[in-house]
Amino acid sequence: MANASLRIPDLIIKKRNGGVLTPEEINHFVTEVVNGGVQECQLGAMLMAMYLNGLADEETVPLTRAMMKSGDVLGPWPQEWSGKVVDKHSTGGVGDKISLILAPALAACGMKVPMVSGRGLGHTGGTLDKLESIEGVSVSASKDKMQQILTEVGCCIVGQTEKLVPADKKMYAIRDVTGTVENIGLIAGSIISKKAAEQLNALVLDVKFGTGAVMVDERKARELANKMVTIGNGLGVKTVALMTDMNNPIGKMIGNALEIAESLNCLHGNGPTDLEDLVLQLGGQLLFVSGNATSTEEGQRKLKETLTNGQAAKKFEQMIIAQGADSEKAKALCVKGSDVWKILPRANFITPVKSKQSGFVNAINSRTCAECSLKLGAGRQASSDQINFAVGLEMCVDIGTSIKEGDDWIRVHHDCDVIPDDIKERLNNAIDVTPSPPKTILTTRVKDIIS
Ligand code: IUR
């Protein structure tokens, strides 16, 4: 309810002067943002005051709660799902297809995963775009439809509706044009409000740092992770964050259909080790913190079993059918050993790029790979851009692989006749080959766990 005694200009002045807004003041402000009682210039001024003076935890928790309550929330979920409604959020990385594997694997463990996901914009790809590379799959679903899929299958991956967290939509649009995006409290509030609106019991956050991450700097990423964990727990969602290394792309594939193909391999227990490790580590934490495993190790074992016994792949098949895929095609796609390229879109040309040096692969610049993939058409530079689902990159080497001059190190899947020179040039520079093997090769991307 609007509180007539609180004037918007007074709240802006209080924050501008370094004051700490009360939950009532924050509630009033957010309510008025959605009701049209705050002018855009006032919202811009408040966001700048928040950006410059920072937000205390006493402010971020009520701010996030008010944002979450600004529109529809999912649920209430059936009583028998209590303790089982879980989700994961990633801050975005290159080749990040974790959701496509983790959601079905969790569903196969009896969890309910109402995953509201995003589209790609900029250098990282979006889970929704990847799913849409499967013909017929729709990523829009009403609340009722989501509940039906969760009842029948256990997981769905869909986009945000207009009604879910409308305050974030308004605030983000103004942050984008007022230089106030990069504030930890505002970013954390924006992310957690959307996840909390799913009415989760537990949430695991994959907070990435390194060349391919949105937040390159590890210290900043850690600050964001801590803030999100505080807010999530403050809203009653058991929240844990994993700090993960994003200096090299995840798995071997970058691009929409290519990442679906790699996800299916992983769902059948044949994924690249770094990809499977991250799925198991994130999911193991989630099963543990939600009380569905006695330890993270037990959680990991349960999930691993679903990848080897075919249950996770079956859940993926059921999920895409429930979201609109043709059932015969879905079955043909998801059966173990399937030729997925009979179903998925394939690029017209596959051209290898050769190493210019002999030695050992020391690093692969994930940001450069992502930007090249984007330029081939796998992502969008503006939100209205059309995506080419078939194009992308397929890496032939791992960190530490011994390589000779002239060996293929990456294959470019493209629809243009020849790979543009600038992409070739950039890919030539994306691989770092050294005379001796790297001193350390990461056995896991997980650097730290914050709970
Ligand atoms: N993703 C979000 O959901 N919100 C934000 O503010 C940013 C990324 I930056």
Side-chain angles (χ1 to χ4, degrees):
M1 278 299 285
N3 182 335
S5 68
L6 297 174
R7 291 180 62 251
I8 298 298
D10 294 338
L11 301 183
I12 297 169
I13 290 166
K14 181 173 176 181
K15 191 66 210 170
R16 181 201 69 190
N17 291 346
V20 174
L21 297 173
T22 66
E24 192 194 9
E25 289 168 336
I26 290 171
N27 245 323
H28 177 70
F29 188 82
V30 173
T31 306
E32 290 302 298
V33 166
V34 178
N35 290 346
V38 175
Q39 298 170 32
E40 284 193 352
C41 55
Q42 292 176 314
L43 179 53
M46 177 62 101
L47 289 166
M48 186 57 83
M50 289 174 163
Y51 180 94
L52 293 174
N53 292 322
L55 286 158
D57 287 343
E58 308 96 272
E59 293 177 302
T60 44
V61 174
L63 175 67
T64 310
R65 184 179 284 116
M67 288 167 73
M68 169 191 99
K69 290 186 169 168
S70 66
D72 272 0
V73 292
L74 301 183
W77 304 116
Q79 184 59 37
E80 61 271 23
W81 295 2
S82 174
K84 297 196 182 307
V85 185
V86 299
D87 197 5
K88 182 231 40 158
H89 176 82
S90 158
T91 56
V94 180
D96 188 353
K97 57 210 55 96
I98 302 289
S99 298
L100 298 165
I101 307 148
L102 184 57
L106 286 165
C109 291
M111 300 298 105
K112 301 292 178 185
V113 191
M115 190 176 276
V116 176
S117 200
R119 294 199 178 274
L121 187 59
H123 80 280
T124 62
T127 299
L128 300 181
D129 300 317
K130 293 169 197 177
L131 260 185
E132 281 180 344
S133 63
I134 305 170
E135 191 188 330
V137 169
S138 161
V139 294
S140 60
S142 66
K143 236 173 104 163
D144 287 349
K145 177 78 179 167
M146 280 180 85
Q147 180 146 347
Q148 184 202 333
I149 301 176
L150 292 184
T151 304
E152 291 168 3
V153 180
C155 61
C156 59
I157 303 179
V158 299
Q160 193 182 344
T161 65
E162 285 294 318
K163 294 183 196 148
L164 201 84
V165 198
D168 179 60
K169 208 165 238 158
K170 289 208 167 175
M171 288 168 70
Y172 192 86
I174 300 298
R175 281 168 62 204
D176 207 22
V177 293
T178 55
T180 55
V181 168
E182 298 93 352
N183 173 274
I184 297 286
L186 292 174
I187 298 172
S190 164
I191 292 171
I192 300 295
S193 62
K194 287 173 277 191
K195 287 289 147 182
E198 295 174 8
Q199 302 266 21
L200 303 173
N201 299 116
L203 171 66
V204 67
L205 300 163
D206 182 358
V207 182
K208 298 186 179 299
F209 60 89
T211 56
V214 175
M215 210 160 260
V216 176
D217 181 58
E218 186 181 340
R219 197 183 46 82
K220 275 239 163 82
R222 191 175 292 273
E223 213 185 309
L224 176 63
N226 276 310
K227 186 67 92 181
M228 291 197 288
V229 168
T230 302
I231 299 174
N233 285 311
L235 293 184
V237 181
K238 289 177 184 132
T239 307
V240 58
L242 270 59
M243 296 290 305
T244 67
D245 185 302
M246 194 57 257
N247 284 304
N248 306 300
I250 302 175
K252 292 272 203 292
M253 307 287 203
I254 303 171
N256 298 282
L258 286 164
E259 291 192 44
I260 293 285
E262 187 167 57
S263 300
L264 282 161
N265 280 338
C266 193
L267 282 161
H268 288 299
N270 300 321
T273 48
D274 66 327
L275 175 60
E276 182 178 294
D277 172 72
L278 196 45
V279 168
L280 297 181
Q281 295 232 29
L282 288 160
Q285 285 292 335
L286 204 44
L287 289 179
F288 174 58
V289 298
S290 62
N292 290 287
T294 53
S295 64
T296 56
E297 291 76 15
E298 193 205 23
Q300 290 191 27
R301 275 196 300 278
K302 286 184 172 187
L303 287 158
K304 171 82 185 165
E305 214 176 302
T306 72
L307 301 181
T308 44
N309 67 12
Q311 287 177 5
K314 195 73 196 165
K315 285 290 175 194
F316 183 82
E317 175 190 308
Q318 291 168 348
M319 178 183 81
I320 60 172
I321 292 171
Q323 293 189 213
D326 173 80
S327 60
E328 288 312 312
K329 285 188 181 164
K331 281 180 190 147
L333 179 69
C334 298
V335 68
K336 194 167 184 166
S338 145
D339 178 2
V340 297
W341 300 114
K342 284 192 171 146
I343 310 284
L344 295 174
R346 185 81 156 152
N348 289 324
F349 306 100
I350 302 173
T351 308
V353 173
K354 297 179 186 308
S355 174
K356 293 214 180 279
Q357 282 167 282
S358 297
F360 296 86
V361 179
N362 185 51
I364 297 169
N365 187 312
S366 41
R367 169 129 351 203
T368 306
C369 291
E371 286 168 356
C372 290
S373 176
L374 176 75
K375 214 147 178 231
L376 289 166
R380 42 174 93 72
Q381 271 143 328
S383 53
S384 55
D385 288 353
Q386 282 284 323
I387 279 186
N388 182 338
F389 294 121
V391 299
L393 302 172
E394 180 185 354
M395 276 159 290
C396 318
V397 294
D398 285 313
I399 303 300
T401 302
S402 149
I403 193 167
K404 287 200 198 64
E405 185 186 341
D407 283 353
D408 297 351
W409 83 267
I410 196 164
R411 280 195 276 268
V412 181
H413 293 236
H414 56 108
D415 274 345
C416 40
D417 291 351
V418 288
I419 312 172
D421 284 346
D422 60 327
I423 293 186
K424 222 183 212 168
E425 177 65 24
R426 295 199 69 192
L427 287 174
N428 280 333
N429 294 326
I431 185 168
D432 178 36
V433 176
T434 48
S436 43
K439 281 196 189 68
T440 48
I441 297 178
L442 292 181
T443 52
T444 177
R445 290 173 180 273
V446 179
K447 176 104 184 259
D448 209 352
I449 296 163
I450 298 169
S451 57

